[in-house]
Amino acid sequence: MRSLPAPLPPSRRTVGQLVAETIRLYGDRFWHVLPLGIPLALSTQLSLGRSSNAQTLILLAFSPLVALAFVRAVGLVHGARPSFHAWLLATVVFVPAPVLARVFVLPAVAWLALFGQAVPAAMIERLGFRAALERGRRLAAADYPHALGSLAALVIVVIVSELALIALLRSQGDNGQRIAHALADLVLSPLLYLGGALLYLDQAARVGSRPPKRRSSDADLHPPVDDDAAGHPDPQVEP
């Protein structure tokens, strides 16, 4: 059998490869990742059979738990230490998403693609609240079509997979439908968190700079072209 080609580096990784890497990572750490689906599974259980307004309010109420799941995913993917600061930032970033989703799912995805990378930036680069939001915006601007396309592809994969799984698991009666929705959300929604965490590597590589570990007095400026020390003029050349 022919071996598969080596994956592209993050700076040139495609949307399809990011989705594939997300699925592979999920399979490698399944039991660690599975609990991340609990918040959305619980919110879906409370939302079934309710109006759109009630569903939006329920998801807003679960925003802190959804934010905690994303913080945990960033920690699993990058080995970054979770913090209260990162959780608060993730909550603030996620809150507008349920409201935007009332219009259509794409505005919510677009919002998360624009500011969602502030959370891994805060955890990995140890940035403050405002600095993390600005860094997240810069990461998104580095290649916004890639960020938006990656999150949109993950959402499509999760939704289509959930519909297929629900169709397989659903039996007659409301109880069967609830169990099917709960299992689908629990098993599949963690892909969204893992993919969002992996996206940080792609966007950081596209910015063209590595996450700074400490402040530097040179402000990441390039060295001068002519770095000869002062006081040593070039030798004169005879005409």
Side-chain angles (χ1 to χ4, degrees):
M1 295 179 63
R2 298 176 59 183
S3 60
L4 296 175
L8 294 173
S11 60
R12 295 188 291 118
R13 187 154 51 192
T14 63
V15 170
Q17 262 200 339
L18 184 134
V19 174
E21 287 295 312
T22 300
I23 296 173
R24 182 190 63 79
L25 179 61
Y26 186 22
D28 291 342
R29 310 201 65 180
F30 177 78
W31 293 112
H32 292 89
V33 173
L34 185 63
L36 300 181
I38 293 175
L40 285 180
L42 290 176
S43 66
T44 299
Q45 290 300 297
L46 294 176
S47 300
L48 287 175
R50 300 181 183 271
S51 65
S52 298
N53 290 335
Q55 292 176 1
T56 301
L57 292 175
I58 291 171
L59 190 53
L60 282 172
F62 274 82
S63 293
L65 292 179
V66 173
L68 184 62
F70 184 46
V71 169
R72 174 59 177 161
V74 174
L76 288 173
V77 173
H78 301 290
R81 187 174 71 254
S83 64
F84 175 81
H85 165 72
W87 168 76
L88 182 61
L89 178 62
T91 302
V92 171
V93 170
F94 180 76
V95 162
V99 179
L100 293 171
R102 284 290 309 277
V103 180
F104 191 59
V105 67
L106 185 58
V109 175
W111 169 265
L112 295 176
L114 185 60
F115 289 107
Q117 294 307 302
V119 179
M123 294 176 61
I124 298 169
E125 304 178 29
R126 314 307 297 177
L127 299 177
F129 194 93
R130 293 184 60 183
L133 284 175
E134 176 60 24
R135 174 67 170 168
R137 187 194 61 80
R138 286 181 56 216
L139 289 171
D143 191 349
Y144 187 69
H146 177 74
L148 178 59
S150 297
L151 293 185
L154 287 167
V155 169
I156 292 173
V157 168
V158 169
I159 290 177
V160 172
S161 301
E162 282 194 351
L163 292 176
L165 186 57
I166 289 170
L168 289 174
L169 297 176
R170 185 169 54 194
S171 59
Q172 295 182 353
D174 292 337
N175 290 333
Q177 183 178 4
R178 285 186 174 276
I179 293 173
H181 277 281
L183 290 176
D185 283 332
L186 178 65
V187 173
L188 295 170
S189 63
L191 290 170
L192 300 175
Y193 306 119
L194 290 180
L198 276 176
L199 183 60
Y200 169 83
L201 294 177
D202 293 15
Q203 298 302 108
R206 284 162 168 78
V207 167
S209 62
R210 294 181 179 178
K213 295 183 178 179
R214 61 180 183 272
R215 294 184 181 274
S216 176
S217 58
D218 60 7
D220 295 334
L221 297 175
H222 292 287
V225 176
D226 184 5
D227 56 354
D228 289 340
H232 297 278
D234 295 333
Q236 298 294 325
V237 179
E238 294 294 334

